[in-house]
Amino acid sequence: MDRIDIMLESLRDDDVPAGLAGIDAAVMDGLSARRERDFTRRGMMLAACIAASAGLALGLDRGAPVSDEPLLGVPMTAPSHLLYG
């Protein structure tokens, strides 16, 4: 245990290596970038959950009238469809 204390005391007296002098800024930049990514990912997941919930709630509504229009076709009220009728 005494050897460890002596080694730590000798490290305390040494100068900081030049490569470690600017590491604080790089570490803090990396942490802030990760925090922003996590915040964005959580926001996207929340938006997706809200959209899915709203879509299911509105899509499963039994009281909504059924439309005669095709699902992926031209709507009956579209100007191009009215010209042909």
Side-chain angles (χ1 to χ4, degrees), residues 15-60:
D15 291 335
V16 176
L20 295 177
I23 198 168
D24 292 340
V27 169
M28 296 308 284
D29 289 342
L31 287 174
S32 65
R34 182 178 172 103
R35 187 177 300 129
E36 288 177 19
R37 274 195 317 266
D38 290 345
F39 180 74
T40 303
R41 187 174 296 137
R42 267 189 240 118
M44 291 297 289
M45 288 299 297
L46 179 63
C49 289
I50 290 172
S53 299
L56 282 174
L58 295 174
L60 296 177

Side-chain angles (χ1 to χ4, degrees), residues 47-79:
C49 289
I50 290 172
S53 299
L56 282 174
L58 295 174
L60 296 177
D61 185 19
R62 300 275 185 218
V66 178
S67 175
D68 291 336
E69 297 177 6
L71 182 62
L72 297 175
V74 178
M76 298 299 269
T77 57

